[in-house]
Amino acid sequence: MAHVISDECIACGVCQSECPVDAISEGDIYVIDPDLCTDCGACADVCPVGAPQAE
Ligand code: SF4
Ligand code: SF4
């Protein structure tokens, strides 16, 4: 399982440095690589708009 970033993302970038496996890529909205994500939830904890969600 992996977390997925929803359209709510405002591309603030806060989550990217929090990911222990470097699974988050920059973009118009940020994107999580499902092959790398370990579902730890760290990105969801720091996101101001709750965009990363467990699938
Ligand atoms: Fe990275 Fe954890 Fe978020 Fe997955 S859930 S993208 S491993 S911070
Ligand atoms: Fe998008 Fe939330 Fe990450 Fe900011 S912290 S880039 S709003 S997913």
Side-chain angles (χ1 to χ4, degrees):
M1 298 300 290
H3 272 50
V4 174
I5 294 175
S6 75
D7 292 346
E8 304 295 308
C9 175
I10 56 172
C12 70
V14 169
C15 59
Q16 194 173 28
S17 63
E18 297 298 321
C19 179
V21 294
D22 214 13
I24 303 174
S25 302
E26 192 175 347
D28 289 338
I29 68 170
Y30 278 50
V31 178
I32 294 170
D33 183 337
D35 293 329
L36 295 176
C37 178
T38 60
D39 233 11
C40 72
C43 53
D45 288 344
V46 297
C47 179
V49 296
Q53 292 165 3
E55 277 264 281

